């Protein structure tokens, strides 16, 4: 083979022209190290044999060195040994200068860098956090070198794609899951050290929910979500109410001088007849009779007093249970680095008195905040907006026309939970949560949903708070229950656009602007398709690896049927087809930046750019459809929630292409299909621009709007934004605004330099990063801090 046809793959993944002279120099050094000089003819012969042994046009440095070792061993074993020692020494010296060494040094020194700040909810400077960061960086390196296919490893390393959660790749675990707590609580569940029976009070329901969160978090690398929190907690409210009714009856009997009553027996007798915390006349009569059978006689008036006190006690218990849930999920560390559970809860459509009490007390507890009033970071809360249940147009008009009356409870609404939607808007104005999920958006509807079905929540979409959406299913019921995302990988969309434009300029040197853009767009679409196919194959490779995991690697998730189907496995069984209900996400980042590379401006004001970005994502969906058929798996397009990735791609592209105005000139790429954070568009414009992309990103999406000033002073505007999102078919949305808290006195509001109450400078500045909140902006990496500084406020 002609040496001019051979290319070398260097250790950093780059290629260069093959040079026999470099081989000769390396062999010469080995001879010199062995004390053999003037062996030019022998060295030339070995060099020629090495070159002759190369049988392919693309070969790695390591492969060439293996050939050299083999030829030296056949010629002079002593010199071969010297060469091997020299090669090993060079490897060690090279490792000392590698990025891995620099990364480890940065972790040891607790530097404020993007490795240590890669996760805004982890304290990487604690001993456990350092160990987790060490492990993360080492396992990423291991996965790239030994587990990934060569072309996927190279694409990730070079910045063409980003394989998310690469550090967890060797563990074979999945990303996230949504719990069917109804099933888990009804059966009870077990952990390593024992079993847990069905809870009997709202406090136990809430506590066990946090235990499920914490336990399962250790078996996955992503988030954990409860898809119907209000429905799942409601039985606990009823059980608590029955307990209080029995206790109050016993107290009333003693107060009247009656004989002692067995409270346990009384509870057991009352439970079948008290099916709600709001009793009709018939149920009240049945309850009085049941109490009489247990020796407790009360008049109707006395029983009414018992019910009123029991209801208030139940409300207090429910409020305390919701407080406990919030405090536990912000303090229970389930991972190294003081990292709490990445938790999400969906609610809003249980219109039963018990479900409504759960929602109301949860929202009130959220507004109250943590110990000194701090905004809770977790759980991420998602309010489900549903026609006829939590929303109606007529209710909206009533509220807008008399907002003060609506908020004070003076107006009767036709949708039973519309008042809770108003309370959600108020809570969002102070605490940034809940976000809003729109169940009537066409792609979020389920054909089996029926308002008369007591378990209709099984047919309601729920989401992970960051944005991951799991709903459609090729292997079972369309649902969010008992399944999650398996893995996702993101495409560097700006790079594809940059390279397309450069190729177009080479192909059409004399073309005018319009012809050049047409050629660049054609090349861009082809590259988007090719890269999407590469990612799809990479995701399939990872899926094949994940399915070889043993059930015993995920003892809680599988044996408790948290991931549906896992209970049927024995500990030594491979998870296999059980996980085929999960999703595989082809993500992307930098849609805005890519459009600037092609058209000189983003898609907010350039219709051709908007159409091109939409077409590109549709092209990704065509690949998704093709691979669904090919592998019979749930591929989807994901609007990537980029945190560390937003800066990683940008740094790599700036180094490769230089500074391109509007593309690589900032520290970050704009998330997924989002309008540029600096774009001064109105609230309605931003929602209208982004809404169509929700329908074509079935793996997950979110749209934010940024408000200025203190949103708590204008709850009406939040309700208007929610309606606009609903009307424009947003799938999942949220509302951002500044929330600052004085750490000394607890004042919460917009704080500029010092607290207006106590003049303290000790201020926590809460902001949303990708879908979740963080304790302080200081914990964000440099790229996301830069993005936050650039965010304009929408009017």
């Amino acid at each position: 083979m002609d040496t001019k046809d051979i290319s070398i793959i260097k250790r950093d993944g780059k290629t260069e022209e093959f040079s026999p002279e470099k081989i000769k120099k390396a062999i010469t050094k080995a001879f010199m190290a062995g004390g053999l000089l003037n062996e030019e003819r022998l060295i030339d012969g070995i060099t020629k044999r090495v070159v002759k042994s190369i049988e392919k046009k693309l070969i790695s440095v390591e492969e060439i060195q293996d050939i050299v070792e083999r030829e030296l061993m056949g010629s002079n074993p002593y010199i071969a040994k010297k060469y091997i020692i020299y090669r090993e020494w060079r490897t060690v010296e090279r490792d000392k200068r590698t990025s891995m060494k620099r990364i480890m040094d940065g972790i040891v020194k607790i530097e404020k860098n993007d490795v240590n700040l890669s996760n805004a909810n982890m304290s990487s400077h604690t001993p456990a956090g350092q160990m987790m960061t060490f492990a993360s960086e080492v396992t990423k390196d291991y996965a790239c070198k030994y587990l990934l296919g060569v072309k996927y490893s190279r694409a990730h390393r070079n910045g063409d794609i980003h394989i998310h959660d690469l550090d967890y790749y060797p563990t074979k675990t999945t990303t996230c899951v949504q719990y069917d707590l109804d099933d888990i609580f009804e059966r009870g569940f077990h952990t390593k050290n024992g079993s847990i029976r069905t809870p009997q009070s709202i406090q136990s329901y809430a506590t066990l929910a946090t235990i499920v969160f914490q336990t399962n978090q250790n078996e996955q690398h992503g988030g954990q979500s409860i898809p119907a929190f209000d429905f799942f907690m409601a039985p606990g409210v009823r059980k608590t109410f029955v307990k209080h009714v029995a206790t109050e009856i016993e107290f009333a009997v003693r107060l009247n001088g009656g004989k002692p009553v067995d409270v346990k027996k009384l509870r057991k007798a009352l439970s079948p007849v008290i099916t709600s915390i709001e009793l009709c006349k018939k149920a009240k009569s049945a309850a009085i009779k049941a109490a009489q059978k247990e020796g407790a006689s009360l008049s109707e008036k006395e029983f009414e007093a018992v019910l009123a006190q029991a209801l208030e006690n139940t409300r207090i218990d429910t409020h305390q249970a919701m407080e406990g849930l919030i405090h536990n999920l912000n303090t229970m560390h389930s991972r190294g680095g003081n990292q709490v559970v990445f938790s999400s809860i969906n609610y809003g459509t249980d219109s039963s008195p018990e479900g409504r009490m759960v929602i109301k007390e949860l929202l009130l507890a959220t507004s109250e905040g943590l110990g000194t009033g701090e905004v809770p970071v977790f759980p991420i809360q998602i309010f489900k907006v549903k026609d006829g249940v939590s929303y109606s147009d007529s209710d909206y008009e009533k509220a807008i026309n008399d907002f003060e009356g609506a908020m004070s409870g003076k107006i009767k609404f036709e949708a039973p939970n519309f008042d809770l939607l108003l309370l959600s808007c108020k809570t969002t104005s102070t605490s940034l949560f809940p976000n809003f999920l729109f169940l009537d958006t066409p792609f979020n509807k389920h054909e089996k949903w029926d308002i008369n079905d007591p378990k209709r929540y099984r047919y309601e979409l729920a989401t992970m708070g960051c944005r991951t959406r799991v709903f459609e299913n090729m292997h079972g019921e369309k649902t969010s229950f008992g399944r999650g995302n398996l893995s996702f990988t993101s495409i560097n969309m700006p790079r594809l656009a940059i390279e397309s434009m450069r190729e177009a300029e080479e192909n059409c040197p004399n073309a005018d602007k319009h012809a050049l853009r047409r050629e660049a767009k054609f090349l861009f679409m082809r590259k988007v398709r090719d890269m999407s196919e590469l990612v799809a194959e990479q995701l399939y490779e990872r899926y094949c690896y994940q399915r070889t995991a043993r059930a015993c690697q995920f003892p809680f998730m599988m044996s408790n049927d948290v991931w549906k189907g896992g209970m049927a496995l024995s500990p030594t069984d491979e998870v296999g087809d059980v996980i085929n209900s999960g999703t595989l996400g082809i993500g992307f980042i930098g849609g805005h930046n890519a459009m600037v590379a092609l058209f000189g401006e983003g898609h907010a004001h350039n219709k051709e750019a908007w159409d091109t970005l939409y077409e590109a994502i549709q092209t990704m969906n065509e690949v998704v459809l093709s691979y669904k058929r090919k592998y019979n798996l749930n591929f989807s397009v994901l609007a990537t929630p980029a945190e560390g990735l937003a800066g990683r791609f940008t740094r790599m592209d700036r180094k490769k292409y230089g500074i391109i105005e509007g593309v690589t000139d900032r520290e970050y790429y704009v998330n997924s299909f989002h309008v540029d954070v600096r774009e001064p568009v109105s609230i309605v414009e931003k929602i209208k621009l982004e809404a169509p992309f929700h329908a074509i990103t079935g793996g997950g999406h979110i749209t934010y709007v940024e408000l200025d000033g203190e949103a708590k002073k204008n709850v009406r505007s939040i309700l208007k934004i929610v309606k606009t999102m609903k009307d424009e078919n947003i799938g999942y949305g949220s509302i951002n605004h500044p929330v600052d808290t004085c750490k000394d006195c607890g004042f919460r509001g917009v704080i500029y330099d010092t607290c207006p109450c106590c003049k303290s400078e000790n201020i926590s500045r809460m902001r949303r990063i990708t879908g979740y909140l963080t304790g302080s902006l200081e914990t964000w990496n440099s790229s996301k801090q830069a993005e936050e500084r650039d965010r304009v406020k929408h009017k």
Side-chain angles (χ1 to χ4, degrees), residues 523-727:
L523 294 170
F524 176 66
M525 293 302 169
R526 190 170 66 188
K527 289 179 185 296
V528 167
R529 183 179 298 278
D530 290 346
M531 196 60 68
S532 297
E533 289 177 350
L534 181 135
V535 168
E537 292 290 357
Q538 180 271 312
L539 290 169
Y540 179 68
E541 179 185 81
R542 187 170 187 173
Y543 163 77
C544 291
Y545 181 66
Q546 287 174 306
R547 59 180 283 120
T548 65
R550 305 285 180 183
C552 60
Q553 291 180 248
F554 318 115
F556 185 81
M557 183 166 65
M558 292 299 169
S559 66
N560 288 294
D561 222 33
V562 174
W563 191 289
K564 293 294 186 185
M567 186 181 285
L569 301 173
S570 65
T572 57
D573 287 343
E574 291 187 353
V575 296
D577 288 345
V578 165
I579 65 169
N580 66 14
S581 62
T583 61
L584 297 164
I586 304 177
F588 65 99
I589 186 174
H592 161 78
N593 307 83
M595 295 307 100
V596 175
L598 292 175
F599 300 101
E601 57 183 336
H603 58 297
H605 299 297
N606 186 309
K607 182 64 165 60
E608 188 178 6
W610 192 96
D611 290 341
T612 298
L613 181 57
Y614 189 87
E615 186 180 338
I617 300 171
Q618 283 287 52
T619 298
M620 295 175 68
N621 274 287
E622 290 171 9
V623 173
V624 159
L625 184 60
S626 171
Y627 275 82
K628 278 185 173 182
R629 292 168 180 158
K630 182 175 181 179
Y631 292 125
N632 196 30
L633 293 171
N634 295 305
F635 286 91
S636 61
V637 177
L638 170 70
T640 297
E643 188 175 341
L645 176 57
R648 176 181 180 251
F649 275 167
T650 314
R651 287 190 298 273
M652 297 177 84
D653 287 352
R654 187 185 299 130
K655 185 177 180 180
K656 185 172 184 178
Y657 306 110
I659 294 177
I660 304 172
E661 186 178 354
V663 184
T664 63
D665 57 345
R666 284 177 274 171
E667 294 180 57
Y668 60 91
Y669 281 150
V670 177
N671 257 356
S672 61
F673 55 71
H674 289 178
V675 168
D676 184 7
V677 298
R678 300 185 304 176
E679 198 69 59
V681 294
S682 70
I683 290 171
V684 174
E685 283 177 318
K686 187 173 194 295
I687 291 170
K688 286 186 174 182
L689 283 165
E690 293 185 1
F693 292 104
H694 284 227
I696 57 173
T697 49
H701 43 247
I702 193 168
T703 281
Y704 314 114
V705 295
E706 298 280 339
L707 303 186
D708 201 359
E710 295 197 49
K712 65 182 180 182
K713 295 179 179 178
N714 193 2
V715 180
R716 182 198 300 257
S717 66
I718 292 180
L719 178 62
K720 288 181 177 179
I721 293 168
V722 170
K723 183 185 188 317
T724 302
M725 287 183 171
K726 181 181 185 302
D727 290 346

Side-chain angles (χ1 to χ4, degrees), residues 77-102:
Y78 173 71
I79 297 301
K81 185 176 181 181
K82 292 292 181 181
Y83 178 79
I84 293 168
I85 293 172
Y86 170 75
R87 182 181 176 185
E88 182 63 28
W89 174 80
R90 286 281 295 164
T91 299
V92 172
E93 289 299 303
R94 197 163 42 246
D95 285 346
K96 289 180 181 179
R97 301 190 298 273
T98 60
S99 59
M100 179 62 73
K101 176 67 164 52
R102 291 194 298 273

Side-chain angles (χ1 to χ4, degrees), residues 71 79 125 194 285 344 434 455 513 652 725 795:
E71 292 298 333
I79 297 301
H125 56 270
S285 297
S344 305
K455 292 197 173 185
K513 180 176 70 173
M652 297 177 84
M725 287 183 171
K795 305 297 183 182

Side-chain angles (χ1 to χ4, degrees), residues 119-123 330 338 340 370 373-378 432-433 643 739-743 762-769 772-780:
N119 184 332
N121 279 299
M122 187 178 87
S123 301
N330 284 280
N338 297 342
V340 296
L370 301 177
E374 305 97 323
V375 174
V377 172
F378 290 111
L432 289 165
F433 286 146
E643 188 175 341
V739 176
D740 303 326
T741 304
C742 176
K743 294 181 180 179
N762 189 17
I763 310 300
S764 171
R765 302 191 184 279
M766 183 75 72
R767 302 292 186 272
R768 197 185 308 273
I769 188 165
Y772 62 93
L773 308 182
T774 62
S776 173
L777 275 170
E778 296 174 358
T779 63
W780 291 25

